[in-house]
Amino acid sequence: MKSQNGWPASPDPKANKIKSYKIPGTDIKVRVAEAVAPLLINFAAEFHERVEKIDAGTLDDWGFAFRLVRGSEDSLSNHSSGTALDLNAKIHPLGKRDTFTPAQREILDELCKKYLLRGGYTYKNRPDDMHFEINGTPKEVKERIKALGLGKLESK
């Protein structure tokens, strides 16, 4: 099984080495695939620092969840492979467009490019502003992690 972005997906978190990681600068932990954790977690830390604070006390930030894309009958969500994050979902609800300011979108564009991500705020059909997903192959991810000088993260 593969998620929409082509990464291996499984209902068993151990199969894809799904681990819990603390987002630096916050008390928030999210579960993502070990192979992509340096990109997703460092992105989330910069999101918290540069775009908006990831709201503590509100359980609206998550990663791994084995499920179909909302509204799909056969396409696994990238959350199923641990290669996607949702951040501040209550502020940026599914289906609502332009929940970020133009200045925030400019920073998000920069961060998504840096961390090899695609943001749901760019979706044409159904906006998903809270959503950020890996937009590269395993080889491209390894190369980007190396290029950015990111090491393996310690899971919590």
Side-chain angles (χ1 to χ4, degrees):
M1 287 185 283
K2 294 193 182 274
S3 62
Q4 198 176 44
N5 62 2
W7 284 72
S10 173
D12 177 8
K14 292 178 183 173
N16 293 333
K17 296 184 179 177
I18 304 295
K19 297 183 178 178
S20 182
Y21 298 91
K22 185 174 179 274
I23 299 171
T26 76
D27 290 326
I28 305 294
K29 293 179 187 173
V30 291
R31 295 188 318 153
V32 299
E34 182 178 51
V36 300
L39 297 178
L40 288 175
I41 300 304
N42 281 286
F43 165 81
E46 283 204 58
F47 177 98
H48 177 73
E49 193 62 37
R50 298 182 58 202
V51 178
E52 68 187 16
K53 299 299 181 196
I54 296 173
D55 46 355
T58 304
L59 298 176
D60 65 347
D61 311 291
W62 48 80
F64 173 77
F66 189 78
R67 62 174 177 77
L68 295 173
V69 172
R70 304 262 189 251
S72 168
E73 294 182 17
D74 60 1
S75 184
L76 284 174
S77 165
N78 294 326
H79 290 282
S80 297
S81 58
T83 61
L85 283 178
D86 288 345
L87 299 174
N88 290 345
K90 288 186 178 180
I91 299 170
H92 309 289
L94 179 64
K96 187 165 184 188
R97 192 173 299 283
D98 298 326
T99 62
F100 292 106
T101 68
Q104 288 173 316
R105 285 179 65 117
E106 190 173 314
I107 296 167
L108 286 170
D109 289 345
E110 172 196 329
L111 293 177
C112 285
K113 183 176 179 182
K114 176 180 179 178
Y115 290 109
L116 199 62
L117 304 178
R118 180 169 75 149
Y121 66 92
T122 66
Y123 292 176
K124 301 293 183 229
N125 295 328
R126 183 190 68 190
D128 195 0
D129 287 10
M130 72 179 101
H131 183 82
F132 301 92
E133 64 193 23
I134 292 294
N135 191 29
T137 66
K139 181 180 182 222
E140 291 168 330
V141 164
K142 283 181 187 176
E143 289 171 352
R144 183 61 54 92
I145 289 169
K146 184 176 179 182
L148 292 173
L150 302 174
K152 186 176 177 182
L153 297 177
E154 185 179 322
S155 61
K156 304 289 176 185

